[in-house]
Amino acid sequence: SLLSPEYKLALSLISKNNPNVFPKGGGRRDWFQDIPKSRQRFVPFNGGIGAEQLNWLDQELDQCCRNHQRAIIITHVPLEPEAASQRTVAWNYSEVMAVVNKSNCVELVLAGHNHQGGYAVDSQGCTHVTVEGVLTHKESAFGVVEVFQDRLEIRGKGALSSRTIKFRSRA
């Protein structure tokens, strides 16, 4: 709803970090003009992970670690700029990644949203794959993920790249 606390918080975050989105006096501006790359993610087509969801994620990952399990996070909006761009990551991606990396059991963050796709391994060894978007490729872009004991394989079709991601060794 337009009056919800979450909506008001989103408007506040965007306005504070990117004055081009809702310029004073109205009108339209290029959302990215003169905005530092580090703040270009604050646009309406992105979003963030709220405190309640972040707490839930922290608890779930903690349980995975205690049970010696591996985790895969699937999210629409990417959490790693190197696997997408500064313009298409979650508003609070660094806060989310602090939770992810604290757990040390997340092997893959699989995302969409950035239609060009992308791939990166972060400083903690977690793999980030942003899948190519079907809307911006002449050919199709889809695939299947198969999970094995020591790895997972993404078998891409069309524009989607195939990859094998080996799991990190466990101490």
Side-chain angles (χ1 to χ4, degrees):
S1 142
L2 296 179
L3 301 177
S4 73
E6 293 85 2
Y7 183 81
K8 289 177 182 176
L9 177 60
L11 286 179
S12 174
L13 280 170
I14 292 171
S15 297
K16 175 182 169 189
N17 289 284
N18 189 340
N20 291 349
V21 175
F22 306 115
K24 291 180 179 172
R28 296 183 146 250
R29 285 194 65 190
D30 177 343
W31 287 348
F32 305 108
Q33 183 180 346
D34 301 323
I35 299 297
K37 280 189 176 187
S38 64
R39 292 192 351 231
Q40 290 183 355
R41 67 187 182 272
F42 293 99
V43 291
F45 59 72
N46 291 330
I49 288 68
E52 186 176 342
Q53 289 177 310
L54 202 52
N55 186 49
W56 172 84
L57 179 62
D58 190 32
Q59 291 175 5
E60 290 294 314
L61 293 178
D62 186 54
Q63 184 176 348
C64 281
C65 289
R66 284 195 315 270
N67 292 332
H68 307 287
Q69 297 173 322
R70 300 176 192 275
I72 298 170
I73 293 176
I74 301 174
T75 175
H76 180 77
V77 180
L79 300 176
E80 172 56 57
E82 296 297 319
S85 84
Q86 284 285 354
R87 293 181 176 190
T88 58
V89 292
W91 295 333
N92 60 334
Y93 75 88
S94 58
E95 188 180 343
V96 179
M97 285 310 301
V99 169
V100 169
N101 287 329
K102 178 182 84 168
S103 74
N104 202 31
C105 65
V106 178
E107 295 291 341
L108 171 68
V109 176
L110 188 62
H113 192 54
N114 183 296
H115 296 181
Q116 291 75 31
Y119 173 88
V121 177
D122 68 29
S123 62
Q124 302 297 312
C126 179
T127 300
H128 297 258
V129 174
T130 304
V131 298
E132 291 84 347
V134 70
L135 296 175
T136 53
H137 289 80
K138 289 182 182 179
E139 57 186 313
S140 61
F142 65 96
V144 173
V145 177
E146 293 186 87
V147 181
F148 300 92
Q149 193 69 26
D150 62 337
R151 71 192 186 285
L152 64 83
E153 295 182 8
I154 300 173
R155 299 182 199 273
K157 299 290 184 188
L160 182 65
S161 302
S162 294
R163 306 180 185 281
T164 297
I165 298 165
K166 296 185 187 266
F167 294 149
R168 295 172 279 182
S169 59
R170 294 283 174 111

